[in-house]
Amino acid sequence: MSSREEVLRRVRDAIGGARGTHPPAPRGYARRLTEAEAATRADVLALFTERVAGHRAAVRHVSADELATAVAAALWGREAKQIVVPADLPFGWLAELDGVRALADTPALDLEALAAADGTVTGCAAAVAQTGTVVLDGGRAQGRRALTLVPGYHLCIVHADQIVGTVPEAVARLDPSRPLTWISGPSTVHDIGATRVDGVHGPRHLEVLVVED
Amino acid sequence: MSSREEVLRRVRDAIGGARGTHPPAPRGYARRLTEAEAATRADVLALFTERVAGHRAAVRHVSADELATAVAAALWGREAKQIVVPADLPFGWLAELDGVRALADTPALDLEALAAADGTVTGCAAAVAQTGTVVLDGGRAQGRRALTLVPGYHLCIVHADQIVGTVPEAVARLDPSRPLTWISGPSTVHDIGATRVDGVHGPRHLEVLVVED
């Protein structure tokens, strides 16, 4: 018996009869918000807003007609001069930019260009009220992962109908085969000496615009 | 019997037993291009190009990476200063504009603004090689009908995979409940004295960019 066969034999012995099967996972967790948490749709949106703000992210509600102006105002507020965006971002979202240059990520910008940008603007695939999370899946208006992880500022547009109550509800809406990025507030770690350090693994600043149609 | 009833009676008599039914329509027409017309996919694209050009429309093939530059070049070539676009036009299509102002049609621009624009840029829902036609259905990147009928210049982006051989093939792809606009070249009429007059019912100038991925 070769060493390879020996190793495989030990692995097979160790996993025994359970090979290829999984122990049942407990599914007793809450799949939906309770009445106390959110009785109405407006409560769900309010909870999302509260939880996003709790992650030290800025969050604002706008109407569809106000969106372009709100995007421009957010970028002016940060004195952004150059941003990077997915090529399929709806043009209307950036229609009011004045003095801010937007670079489309096609052909793909190099990492230096992403790092030099003052921020990025994207949509999302879904959002979770209970955890104040936006989820990106690389689909329409979201771009590839580097686009939202390298720049220091991420402005994320969330349509109200994309917001669900809980993580299980979001999972049910999403395609598990896509590259999912779950964003709960700006990037922050406490890895070293329990000291909070922001912006190491993603944007230091996150801003969310909720569009209510 | 009132005059209304009398008229309705005559109508019923006239349509008789055929009321609510339709005589069978002959369906013996060609549903697909013949081998002689287009043996390969490249032949279909070449036929589309030839037929669009035959309608006195400009047509050019570009790669996806060249699209933004080609759009800008087309607008610069017409000395366009201000254009109107659907709000959901992919941002990347206009990413290279410099000196051309793009107004998003949301909230809806008034007719004066549409008429004052130097042109419009849209996508399409399908295109037909045999007739050199682009079809708009008001869906993504196409906007409402007035957006493409009022301005005097229409730049239409057609992805190669949107081009089919014949009208029946296009019909099979389209949703008949949507507001379909079939565009075969610039608007032209011969209503009065058989004199050709351009641009009365739509753009006087049509330009098509075929994007080959």
Side-chain angles (χ1 to χ4, degrees), chain A residues 1-2 15 51 80 90 114 134 142 170 201 203 211:
Chain A
M1 187 178 279
S2 71
I15 58 182
R51 295 288 158 87
L114 296 183
V134 292
Q142 295 160 68
H201 302 123
V211 185

Side-chain angles (χ1 to χ4, degrees), chain A residues 34-115:
Chain A
T34 62
E35 280 275 317
E37 285 173 305
T40 68
R41 185 73 196 144
D43 291 342
V44 175
L45 301 192
L47 181 64
F48 176 71
T49 306
E50 180 192 315
R51 295 288 158 87
V52 171
H55 292 307
R56 306 195 203 180
V59 55
R60 236 164 357 126
H61 287 239
V62 297
S63 70
D65 285 355
E66 297 165 337
L67 178 58
T69 307
V71 169
L75 294 168
W76 294 331
R78 296 195 52 80
E79 299 185 357
K81 298 284 172 250
Q82 182 154 308
I83 60 169
V84 289
V85 298
D88 62 351
L89 200 76
F91 173 77
W93 295 4
L94 303 184
E96 300 296 327
L97 293 195
D98 195 6
V100 184
R101 184 152 180 245
L103 299 180
D105 186 40
T106 178
L109 299 164
D110 59 27
L111 286 179
E112 284 69 29
L114 296 183

Side-chain angles (χ1 to χ4, degrees), chain A residues 106-156:
Chain A
T106 178
L109 299 164
D110 59 27
L111 286 179
E112 284 69 29
L114 296 183
D118 297 313
T120 185
V121 178
T122 74
C124 71
V128 185
Q130 195 172 45
T131 57
T133 304
V134 292
V135 189
L136 274 58
D137 72 357
R140 186 172 172 210
Q142 295 160 68
R144 62 193 165 114
R145 224 164 208 166
L147 197 68
T148 48
L149 292 182
V150 177
Y153 168 71
H154 179 194
L155 177 59
C156 188

